[in-house]
Amino acid sequence: MINSFQKKKGVHQAWGLIAGVSLLALFGKLSGDLVAQDLNAFDTLIGNFIRSYASESLTVLAVMITNMGSAAFEISLLLIAGGYMYFYMKQTREPLMLAVSLAGTWLLNNLLKTIFQRTRPDILHLVAVGGFSFPSGHAMIATAFYGMLGYIIWSHLRQGSK
């Protein structure tokens, strides 16, 4: 039997899905209206602003943060954290949630890159990357993966304090 909490949760999830798809469609419309020349001007403006603050220590920090969003790092962390949760904590749901968040966001990111087909700006890159530039795989996938990892940790800490 479904209780009222589960019904409300389902309604909230449905509204969240509707809002997400609507915002994605709106963004697609707006980005389609932008001319390539406008995007190049924006890329140049932002790139010059960021480079104006460049230093050796900030470059090292930026590369470290970028590497934390790499597939190799996130998969390694998934195996370590997921293995710990599965073998030591005897959890099955949490490692699965973490794996689905990583794989699902990667698939969604590739789908969105195929839809938008935004070429990479012609600027100096700190880390060699290929393919389309939007949405940022590092930013999108890392946000979902580390967000899910943070949620799992928070959830277990919260349960332990009761």
Side-chain angles (χ1 to χ4, degrees), residues 50-129:
I50 291 170
R51 277 191 289 285
S52 72
Y53 290 97
S55 69
E56 189 175 328
S57 58
L58 285 177
T59 299
V60 169
L61 179 62
V63 171
M64 285 174 49
I65 291 170
T66 297
N67 288 337
M68 288 177 62
S70 71
F73 191 89
E74 290 173 341
I75 291 169
S76 298
L77 187 54
L78 169 66
L79 294 173
I80 292 167
Y84 177 82
M85 287 183 269
Y86 183 77
F87 293 110
Y88 181 75
M89 298 176 67
K90 306 297 184 208
Q91 300 290 322
T92 55
R93 186 173 146 248
E94 288 83 353
L96 181 61
M97 288 170 39
L98 201 56
V100 167
S101 75
L102 186 60
T105 310
W106 179 83
L107 288 170
L108 178 61
N109 184 265
N110 282 307
L111 173 68
L112 293 173
K113 283 181 185 281
T114 301
I115 291 169
F116 291 112
Q117 296 187 3
R118 167 102 158 78
T119 58
R120 293 198 176 273
D122 188 22
I123 59 173
L124 175 66
H125 296 278
L126 296 177
V127 178
V129 289

